[in-house]
């Protein structure tokens, strides 16, 4: 168990290193010249070739890629992600302002996806082929196939424009978070509801479920007490994957609802060829992906007695 | 409270018909079969795989796996009460408290996510009315009684931490925790090593003697039948071919299928298989049943009437335990008369 734990952590660190190196290479390989951009910002139209060359030299842009990556990594490890070419503010500052916004979006969406998917999946399993089961199956299919930008626009039209219940843009108070949370939770909730339902069905047909009935439990007790613990592991794994994918959703959702999070910043960074900003945000995404997956793997290990307490030889 | 005397049946099933449906096929798994078992008695239900042994015994209790649609007719009574008309909640309580069930493969029949001991304690608390503390003590003593060494330690174990034989003992302890009056053992030794099989059978016999409960042993192991059973019911393709005391059925079988079944059991004393004789052919397809005797296609004594008329189960011999056989042909040939 302990060895497995250390191996997973080590693997996660390696993965982060490889992924940041890859994004670093991709970002620098993208068209556009950082030195030219900086010169343009500083001197406007007066920027000439000499000035650009000097800036490139000062920033070490002429060094080989591995050297530049090593230098970037050294800075990043001390919390220095450079200065955004677009806003002129250090990325650490941008992070401090924007990460809470994005975290609030993801956390709310994650909780909503968790609650909705468990409720829908369990209700479907309880109904077992009945009308509730079929309606929820249909809803999950629609939810999983609706693009989030379209869904967001529909929510805004209905709840903001027609009903005027929530603002169309920005956040002010808890109600204004509802639409972004619902939008970002739609896809993961739908997929996870199916995961719960299908795994419940499989588990209910296993011999130990029959033992549960033989113990005198009612069907709902067998569902909740015998079957549900057994879907914990597949559910947690899928939830982890879906939760990390929500950061992709955040890029769209933050734009649509005018939230000043890292997703919205990322879009702007791409548009303004803010290479420093792009690399910083991508690094953040990598860390998020890898650490959530690591966390989920470790939690799943703890949830399974066969992994937590291996049989003694 | 029961209308039945001490020796009256405590679980009885009559004229049971069970159809199993999947979206594509329907199978008549049980076709007008029945059985009964009295307190202190062990009934063995024997037959080959697919003969409907498990479906007949557990079906009325609603203990068939999910995912198959079941259509069930006939009567089933537990302690004189009609099971088939019970509400789901009443039936749940009956399953938990009145019946104890041991399943075939303890590795898959015990929930991998749940510790063994607390499940026993919960049964004792819910059905035997014990306090939480008493229930835990009871659970530990049940584990000890089932022959599990170091029961305090095993109480907190998960199924994967025990061997197959120990798990089947835990399964038995679980089945007994609610102090049931009928213990149903569905092929309790099939998944176990040969050496462990004998121990498990001995344990079931010991419990049966000590508690005086009714035991239903579902098996295709004739050896287990001869060790445990007071009475035997032989099932073929969802119908009872023969039933009677274990001595009558095992030593003086009448029905051609019972004779074939017993002749096909290898005798461990002879070290070759020449003494055994297999029954030719395979059981009928229960999705498309023909009228008449289910065994007709495989029977050496088959007559034209066998294919058109279902043979009734009639009493033969005058012993204290009714011996019934569903084969007029063999009775006529051997001059056996009905004692109905």
């Amino acid at each position: 168990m302990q060895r497995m734990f250390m191996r997973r952590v080590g693997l996660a660190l390696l993965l982060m290193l490889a992924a940041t190196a890859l994004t670093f290479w991709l970002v620098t390989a993208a068209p556009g010249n950082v030195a030219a951009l900086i010169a343009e910002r500083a001197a406007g139209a007066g920027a000439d070739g000499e000035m650009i060359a000097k800036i490139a030299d000062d920033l070490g842009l002429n060094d080989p890629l591995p050297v530049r990556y090593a230098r970037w990594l050294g800075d990043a490890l001390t919390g220095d992600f450079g200065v955004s070419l677009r806003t002129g503010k250090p990325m650490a500052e941008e992070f401090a302002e924007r990460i809470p916004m994005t975290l609030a979006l993801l956390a709310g969406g994650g909780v909503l996806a968790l609650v909705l998917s468990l409720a829908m999946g369990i209700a479907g399993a309880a109904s077992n082929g009945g009308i509730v089961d079929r309606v929820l199956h249909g809803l999950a299919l629609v939810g999983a196939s609706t693009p989030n930008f379209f869904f967001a626009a529909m929510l805004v039209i209905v709840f903001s424009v027609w009903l005027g219940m929530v603002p169309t843009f920005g956040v002010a108070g808890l109600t204004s978070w509802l639409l972004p949370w619902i939008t970002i939770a739609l896809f993961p909730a739908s997929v996870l509801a199916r995961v719960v339902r299908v795994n419940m069905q499989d588990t209910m047909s296993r011999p130990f479920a029959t033992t549960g009935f033989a113990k005198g439990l009612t069907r709902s007790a067998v569902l909740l007490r015998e079957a549900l613990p057994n879907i914990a592991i597949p559910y947690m794994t899928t939830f982890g994957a879906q939760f990390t994918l929500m950061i992709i959703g955040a890029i769209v959702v933050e734009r649509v609802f005018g939230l000043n999070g890292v997703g919205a910043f990322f879009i702007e960074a791409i548009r303004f060829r803010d290479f420093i900003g792009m690399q910083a945000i991508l690094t953040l995404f990598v860390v998020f992906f890898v650490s959530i997956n690591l966390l989920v793997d470790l939690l799943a290990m703890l949830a399974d007695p066969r992994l937590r307490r291996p049989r003694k030889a | 409270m029961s209308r039945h005397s001490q020796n009256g049946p405590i679980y009885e099933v009559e004229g049971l018909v069970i159809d199993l449906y999947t979206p594509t096929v329907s199978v008549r798994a049980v076709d007008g079969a029945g059985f009964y078992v009295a307190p202190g008695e062990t009934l063995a239900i024997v037959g080959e795989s697919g003969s409907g042994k498990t479906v007949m015994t557990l079906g009325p209790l609603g203990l068939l796996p999910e995912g198959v649609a079941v259509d069930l007719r006939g009567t089933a009574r537990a302690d004189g009460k009609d099971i088939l008309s019970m509400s789901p909640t009443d039936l749940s309580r009956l399953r938990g408290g009145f019946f104890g069930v041991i399943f075939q493969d303890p590795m898959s029949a015990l929930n991998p996510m749940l510790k063994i001991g607390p499940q026993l304690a919960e049964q004792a608390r819910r059905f035997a009315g014990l306090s939480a503390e008493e229930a835990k003590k009871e659970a530990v003593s049940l584990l000890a009684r089932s022959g599990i060494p170091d029961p305090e330690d095993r109480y907190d174990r998960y199924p994967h931490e025990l061997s197959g034989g120990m798990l089947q003992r835990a399964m038995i302890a679980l089945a007994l925790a609610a102090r049931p009056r009928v213990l149903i053992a569905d092929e309790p030794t099939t998944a176990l090593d040969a050496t462990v099989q004998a121990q498990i059978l001995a344990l079931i016999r010991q419990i049966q003697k000590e508690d005086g409960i009714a035991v239903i042993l579902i098996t295709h192991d004739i050896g287990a039948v001869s060790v445990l059973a007071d009475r035997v019911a032989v099932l073929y393709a969802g119908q009872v071919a023969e039933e009677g005391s274990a001595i009558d059925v095992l030593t003086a079988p009448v029905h051609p299928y019972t004779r074939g079944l017993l002749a096909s059991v290898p005798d461990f004393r002879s070290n070759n298989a020449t003494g055994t004789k297999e029954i030719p052919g395979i059981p009928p397809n229960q999705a498309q049943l023909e009228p008449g005797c289910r065994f007709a296609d495989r029977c050496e004594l088959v007559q034209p009437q066998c294919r058109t008329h279902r043979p009734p189960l009639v009493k033969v011999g005058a012993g204290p335990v009714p011996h019934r056989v569903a084969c007029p042909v063999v009775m006529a040939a051997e001059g056996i008369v009905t004692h109905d």
Side-chain angles (χ1 to χ4, degrees):
Chain A
M1 176 80 197
Q2 217 156 15
R3 261 191 54 204
M4 215 144 61
F5 176 85
M6 294 311 292
R7 255 187 47 193
R8 289 292 294 119
V9 173
L11 203 65
L13 289 175
L14 259 173
L15 205 59
M16 285 190 202
L17 207 63
T20 51
L22 188 68
T23 54
F24 192 86
W25 174 64
L26 284 173
V27 167
T28 51
N33 185 335
V34 183
L37 273 172
I38 295 174
E40 210 173 293
R41 284 184 62 92
D48 55 15
E50 197 180 325
M51 186 175 174
I52 291 169
K54 187 180 179 310
I55 288 170
D57 200 43
D58 285 351
L59 292 176
L61 294 181
N62 298 324
D63 294 338
L65 196 65
V67 175
R68 291 167 59 195
Y69 173 70
R71 195 158 49 218
W72 171 86
L73 186 65
D75 289 343
L77 286 175
T78 63
D80 178 5
F81 290 93
V83 175
S84 164
L85 299 180
R86 185 173 70 86
T87 64
K89 281 201 278 185
M91 280 311 296
E93 248 175 68
E94 296 284 358
F95 278 166
E97 276 172 35
R98 291 164 181 275
I99 286 177
M101 184 69 85
T102 301
L103 274 186
L105 177 66
L106 294 184
V111 170
L112 197 61
L114 181 89
V115 172
L116 274 179
S117 64
L118 284 176
M120 285 171 73
I122 293 170
S127 158
N128 196 22
I131 184 81
V132 175
D133 194 15
R134 277 174 282 168
V135 167
L136 288 174
H137 190 173
L139 281 179
L141 278 182
V142 172
S145 7
T146 307
N148 54 10
F149 59 87
F150 173 78
F151 185 65
M154 292 300 115
L155 284 179
V156 167
I157 289 177
V158 174
F159 292 99
S160 305
V161 179
W162 291 353
L163 301 175
M165 288 161 67
V166 285
T168 50
F169 213 69
V171 281
L174 200 63
T175 49
S176 62
W177 277 103
L178 286 178
L179 297 191
W181 281 342
I182 292 169
T183 308
I184 204 163
L186 177 73
F187 183 79
S190 305
V191 171
L192 288 165
R194 290 306 299 159
V195 168
V196 173
R197 176 68 190 98
V198 168
N199 279 288
M200 277 288 205
Q201 184 162 28
D202 173 59
T203 308
M204 287 301 280
S205 62
R206 303 261 291 276
F208 63 74
T210 308
T211 304
F213 285 107
K215 287 197 296 187
L217 300 176
T218 58
R219 188 166 188 277
S220 40
V222 175
L223 270 176
L224 294 176
R225 296 173 50 192
E226 306 271 337
L228 194 58
N230 276 281
I231 73 156
I233 294 146
Y235 182 79
M236 285 163 78
T237 317
T238 325
F239 184 86
Q242 288 298 325
F243 188 72
T244 52
L245 285 180
M246 276 171 58
I247 194 123
I248 312 291
I251 297 173
V252 173
V253 173
E254 286 178 7
R255 283 280 292 180
V256 175
F257 291 101
L259 307 176
N260 276 321
V262 291
F265 185 93
F266 187 61
I267 292 283
E268 294 302 309
I270 292 171
R271 288 181 54 176
F272 284 83
R273 296 210 193 97
D274 177 359
F275 300 107
I276 310 277
M278 272 157 66
Q279 175 63 17
I281 302 282
L282 283 173
T283 304
L284 191 71
F285 285 4
V286 166
V287 171
F288 178 76
F289 261 85
V290 175
S291 45
I292 291 292
N293 278 310
L294 177 65
L295 188 70
V296 163
D297 278 3
L298 297 178
L299 287 178
M301 272 165 74
L302 288 176
D304 188 344
R306 285 159 294 193
L307 292 177
R308 182 173 72 236
R309 278 175 31 180
R311 178 199 289 270
K312 282 180 194 134
Chain B
M1 63 180 244
S2 165
R3 289 181 291 107
H4 292 267
S5 68
Q6 184 60 34
N7 293 319
I10 192 160
Y11 180 37
E12 63 184 318
V13 167
E14 274 171 25
L16 189 70
V17 176
I18 300 182
D19 290 326
L20 303 177
Y21 297 96
T22 69
T24 47
V25 283
S26 99
V27 170
R28 177 146 299 182
V30 179
D31 190 8
F35 64 89
Y36 64 91
V37 63
E41 179 184 63
T42 299
L43 168 71
I45 298 176
V46 299
E48 52 204 283
S49 306
S51 59
K53 307 182 293 282
T54 302
V55 176
M56 176 173 77
T57 315
L58 297 179
L61 305 181
L63 282 180
L64 300 179
E66 269 200 23
V68 202
V70 179
D71 180 39
L72 195 143
R73 278 162 288 143
T75 56
R77 282 185 297 273
D79 202 18
K81 290 187 284 280
D82 181 13
I83 297 177
L84 301 184
S85 62
M86 269 184 190
S87 73
T89 320
D90 287 346
L91 186 59
S92 284
R93 279 206 71 79
L94 191 78
R95 279 196 296 250
F98 191 86
F99 291 95
V101 188
I102 306 166
F103 292 99
Q104 187 178 126
D105 179 8
M107 315 255 189
S108 58
L110 286 166
N111 196 325
M113 303 295 279
L114 301 180
K115 287 180 182 175
I116 287 159
Q119 295 188 67
L120 270 71
E122 191 196 330
Q123 293 303 96
R125 208 164 45 75
R126 280 181 64 207
F127 293 102
L130 303 184
S131 72
E133 205 177 316
E134 290 167 341
K136 183 169 179 180
K137 267 192 206 141
E138 169 86 357
V140 172
S141 80
L142 275 165
L143 290 173
R145 188 184 172 201
S146 302
I148 294 179
D150 199 0
E152 280 93 357
D153 173 73
R154 299 299 191 275
Y155 183 91
D156 279 316
R157 296 278 167 197
Y158 288 96
H160 74 274
E161 297 177 286
L162 269 62
S163 68
M166 283 301 138
L167 276 185
Q168 194 58 301
R169 290 174 187 275
M171 185 86 232
I172 292 172
L174 180 63
L176 294 176
R179 297 182 185 163
R181 300 184 48 202
V182 179
L183 181 68
I184 299 172
D186 185 0
E187 308 214 13
T189 57
T190 308
L192 303 177
D193 289 344
T195 49
V196 182
Q197 288 183 2
Q199 296 169 9
I200 294 293
L201 291 177
L203 176 62
I204 293 174
R205 185 167 58 178
Q206 181 202 337
I207 287 161
Q208 206 259 348
K209 287 238 158 61
E210 286 171 9
D211 294 7
I213 56 179
V215 172
I216 299 174
L217 175 71
I218 302 170
T219 187
H220 52 238
D221 177 357
I222 302 297
V225 175
S226 64
V227 170
L228 284 186
D230 299 307
R231 285 177 41 248
V232 178
V234 180
L235 208 62
Y236 185 78
Q239 296 181 350
V240 176
E242 180 163 3
E243 63 162 325
S245 72
I247 294 173
D248 284 347
V249 175
L250 295 184
T251 61
V254 175
H255 196 283
Y257 175 65
T258 316
R259 290 176 177 174
L261 189 69
L262 293 173
S264 67
V265 176
D267 184 348
F268 66 88
R269 278 163 298 220
S270 68
N271 51 10
N272 58 47
T274 49
T276 69
K277 190 161 156 280
E278 63 176 298
I279 304 173
I282 54 164
N285 178 355
Q286 279 162 268
Q288 11 176 289
L289 288 174
E290 309 289 334
C293 178
R294 297 278 175 266
F295 191 57
D297 283 346
R298 300 171 75 184
C299 187
E300 293 172 343
L301 305 174
V302 63
Q303 300 291 318
Q305 75 206 59
C306 298
R307 303 197 184 273
T308 51
H309 293 85
R310 178 172 171 173
L313 197 60
V314 297
K315 195 171 164 188
V316 298
V321 180
H323 185 185
R324 294 192 182 89
V325 175
C327 185
V329 174
V330 73
M331 287 172 66
E334 298 177 11
I336 302 168
V337 290
T338 309
H339 283 70
D340 268 335

